[in-house]
């Protein structure tokens, strides 16, 4: 709710509104790629770049290697709706993907 702040201007009192509205940020979600013993590394990299166009080839390789070496790689952190979309697209192309809230 805006507060009204009185001020003096040329002998008249003017009411100015002070906005105290703060937008609550939506929680972000992590899109995860899980290790894939079936598909080739090249396929995984190409699929990551197709599904998440903002990933460079170098970034996609890093995600693939993280999944290969540790079992899971972080693809992207974004709002829930795009996170769900990216994860579903990866799944539709034969990769294992999940999302989780960013902490």
């Amino acid at each position: 709710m805006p507060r009204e702040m009185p001020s003096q201007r040329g002998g008249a009192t003017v009411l100015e509104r002070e906005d105290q509205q703060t937008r609550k940020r939506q929680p972000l979600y992590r899109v995860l790629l899980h290790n894939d013993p079936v598909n080739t590394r090249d396929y995984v990299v190409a699929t990551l770049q197709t599904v998440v166009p903002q990933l460079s080839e170098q970034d996609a390789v890093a995600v693939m290697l993280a999944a290969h070496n540790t079992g899971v790689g972080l693809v992207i952190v974004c709002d829930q709706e795009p996170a769900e979309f990216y994860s579903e697209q990866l799944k539709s192309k034969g990769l294992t993907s999940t999302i989780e809230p960013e902490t």
Side-chain angles (χ1 to χ4, degrees):
M1 172 187 260
R3 264 186 11 193
E4 294 181 352
M5 305 286 293
S7 66
Q8 294 290 332
R9 290 195 187 153
T13 300
V14 177
L15 295 178
E16 296 176 0
R17 291 187 175 250
E18 179 184 297
D19 262 339
Q20 292 184 338
Q21 243 180 359
T22 55
R23 285 195 173 168
K24 186 174 182 180
R25 179 108 169 106
Q26 293 295 320
L28 296 177
Y29 284 79
R30 299 164 27 121
V31 179
L32 303 173
L33 175 71
H34 298 269
N35 188 34
D36 181 358
V38 177
N39 294 297
T40 66
R41 292 178 182 193
D42 289 340
Y43 176 77
V44 173
V45 169
T47 301
L48 284 167
Q49 286 188 275
T50 300
V51 171
V52 187
Q54 55 267 52
L55 284 181
S56 67
E57 182 178 3
Q58 184 178 0
D59 291 339
V61 168
V63 172
M64 178 274 298
L65 286 173
H68 178 73
N69 293 328
T70 68
V72 66
L74 176 62
V75 178
I76 192 170
V77 177
C78 56
D79 290 330
Q80 183 176 7
E81 192 172 324
E84 289 172 346
F85 174 78
Y86 291 139
S87 183
E88 290 302 318
Q89 288 296 303
L90 291 169
K91 289 177 190 176
S92 75
K93 298 189 180 301
L95 302 180
T96 304
S97 176
T98 58
I99 67 168
E100 67 182 21
E102 184 183 45
T103 52

